Amino acid sequence: MDVTFRIRRYNPEMPDQAKPYWQTFELKDVQETDRVLELLHRIKWEQDGTLAFRRSCSHGICGSDAMRINGRNALACKLLVKNLGPKVQVEPILGLPIKKDLIVDMEPFFDHYRSVMPYFINNDPVPADGRERLQSQDMQNIYANSTNCILCACCTTSCPSFWANGKYVGPAAIVQAHRFIFDDRDQGAKERLEALSEPDGVWRCRTIYNCTPACPRGIEVTRAIGEVKLAIMKGSPEGIINPNEITVHS
Ligand code: SF4
Ligand code: F3S
Ligand code: FES
């Protein structure tokens, strides 16, 4: 099949490209099973070597190639062209400063990530026998879904609340906080819940639900946000989630 790509371009170092503009590329002999990332590579290698985009693993793991493709956030390496048709429009994810073409500045996103203390906190001495801190499978199931996050930013940059106010901590950071708040071995829940109850925390979420379908890892983002809101109202994560009611995703 033949496919027409319409790509948003921008290069602040070139006077004639210092304002964003659209550029069209025609590709022939495209296979239905080609992924958008492969076709961006073809454009870069065969037609315009200046086209800039991030990618690394090509297998949906590193999270570096989030883009807005035909109006929806996705990882370019996971999206097959047969699901898009012969016209494909690609632009940078929204709400973050554009550095060049499809590359955005991820630092504001990672600032929000760091603000929720996305690491294990436990000041108790390590077990005397030197083994790991044990946890039941039921308790692990409570937050297991949130551990699948690859920090691609598809959720946060599809959220209208984030577009309206870039200070909103955003769904990705809340998912990361959820992963530790509901881990019964962690002791930092109180600090994280306090941080997320600030004006730019979870309450900026208006349950718009763009984030959940945007997640390439199938994370129940809006549910996680709701559980964090409940924990803030209750003052503690305990008892919010019944492990027996959890659906475990493979
Ligand atoms: Fe990406 Fe999903 Fe993590 Fe959001 S929750 S950053 S969409 S993997
Ligand atoms: Fe935004 Fe998702 Fe909430 S799209 S408003 S973070 S439910
Ligand atoms: Fe790594 Fe797509 S290139 S997730």
Side-chain angles (χ1 to χ4, degrees):
M1 64 191 278
D2 295 346
V3 177
T4 303
F5 266 73
R6 188 167 180 259
I7 301 178
R8 193 76 166 158
R9 304 293 308 265
Y10 168 67
N11 183 354
E13 293 177 357
M14 302 293 286
D16 61 335
Q17 298 173 32
K19 284 188 180 166
Y21 63 100
W22 293 99
Q23 187 171 4
T24 300
F25 298 91
E26 305 291 341
L27 285 176
K28 297 196 176 300
D29 302 323
V30 171
Q31 306 298 312
E32 282 194 335
T33 50
D34 282 346
R35 297 166 299 161
V36 171
L37 183 62
E38 289 169 311
L39 300 177
L40 288 174
H41 278 140
R42 268 191 61 187
I43 292 169
K44 185 174 178 70
W45 294 334
E46 297 170 8
Q47 299 191 34
D48 187 343
T50 68
L51 179 64
F53 52 92
R54 279 198 189 98
R55 80 286 194 205
S56 181
C57 70
S58 285
H59 292 285
I61 297 299
C62 72
S64 64
D65 62 338
M67 301 171 191
R68 193 168 161 87
I69 303 170
N70 284 5
R72 303 179 72 149
N73 283 2
L75 297 178
C77 66
K78 285 193 78 175
L79 203 49
L80 303 184
V81 74
K82 71 178 177 188
N83 296 323
L84 296 166
K87 291 189 189 300
V88 179
Q89 178 170 294
V90 187
E91 55 194 309
I93 46 179
L94 301 179
L96 293 168
I98 304 170
K99 290 176 86 82
K100 186 182 177 194
D101 294 338
L102 303 173
I103 296 176
V104 298
D105 180 0
M106 293 292 282
E107 272 313 303
F109 175 80
F110 285 114
D111 283 345
H112 292 325
Y113 167 63
R114 286 186 281 266
S115 75
V116 301
M117 294 167 276
Y119 41 80
F120 186 64
I121 298 173
N122 187 320
N123 295 319
D124 290 345
V126 293
D129 60 4
R131 297 174 64 190
E132 69 265 44
R133 300 173 198 273
L134 297 177
Q135 181 174 56
S136 72
Q137 185 63 57
D138 280 352
M139 295 309 288
Q140 206 268 338
N141 288 346
I142 285 178
Y143 65 88
N145 187 240
S146 298
T147 66
N148 292 330
C149 178
I150 55 173
L151 291 169
C152 66
C154 279
C155 55
T156 296
T157 60
S158 67
C159 171
S161 287
F162 178 73
W163 298 340
N165 181 349
K167 291 183 179 170
Y168 168 37
V169 68
I174 301 171
V175 165
Q176 290 291 329
H178 179 277
R179 180 258 170 270
F180 291 101
I181 289 169
F182 289 93
D183 183 337
D184 67 338
R185 303 164 302 173
D186 183 273
Q187 298 174 342
K190 186 167 176 290
E191 287 166 272
R192 293 192 190 90
L193 292 176
E194 278 172 10
L196 287 168
S197 60
E198 292 293 316
D200 294 320
V202 282
W203 304 112
R204 290 227 179 265
C205 167
R206 304 290 197 264
T207 323
I208 294 169
Y209 198 72
N210 276 11
C211 51
T212 300
C215 179
R217 301 285 293 171
I219 295 172
E220 296 171 357
V221 181
T222 311
R223 181 183 61 78
I225 296 170
E227 289 168 357
V228 172
K229 286 176 176 173
L230 276 174
I232 289 174
M233 287 192 288
K234 192 167 175 271
S236 156
E238 283 164 30
I240 300 288
I241 310 170
N242 180 351
N244 298 323
E245 293 173 359
I246 299 280
T247 306
V248 180
H249 299 268
S250 57

